[in-house]
Amino acid sequence: MKRLYRAAMVMAMAGLLLLLAVIGAGVSYPHPFFTIGTLVGMGCVFLSLPLFFIAWIGQLRQSVKTKQYGWALCIAVFGIFLIVRGLLQIW
């Protein structure tokens, strides 16, 4: 699961750095760097989200497997809190 988490983190950071590069360059829509940079940057960020979720599920599963129920409960409650909070902000 550490590899999956690292891959998600690298993908998210690469996407954010690419978006910051587009902002720093000061280019706008017709420019190819803006079009390609924002598409790839946002794609990397949004593809990292399911990887983070899968890594979270794997960490939860590993905690239950090693009988660390308190830690598993803490991970589950915190994760559910973040998901519900995010959904409430959408509405």
Side-chain angles (χ1 to χ4, degrees):
M1 281 299 128
K2 276 192 170 191
R3 283 186 183 174
L4 187 63
Y5 182 77
R6 284 184 189 163
M9 186 64 75
V10 166
M11 190 177 290
M13 287 190 330
L16 289 175
L17 287 175
L18 189 55
L19 289 172
L20 285 174
V22 169
I23 292 169
V27 295
S28 59
Y29 171 64
H31 199 278
F33 182 59
F34 177 83
T35 306
I36 296 170
T38 54
L39 180 66
V40 172
M42 290 178 72
C44 286
V45 170
F46 286 120
L47 285 176
S48 71
L49 293 176
L51 294 177
F52 278 121
F53 183 72
I54 293 169
W56 174 69
I57 294 293
Q59 186 178 10
L60 185 62
R61 183 176 165 255
Q62 185 67 29
S63 296
V64 170
K65 196 179 211 182
T66 58
K67 297 184 180 184
Q68 297 175 343
Y69 300 118
W71 183 246
L73 180 66
C74 200
I75 293 171
V77 167
F78 185 67
I80 290 170
F81 171 74
L82 287 178
I83 291 170
V84 168
R85 192 181 113 211
L87 289 175
L88 288 176
Q89 284 182 352
I90 291 173
W91 289 327

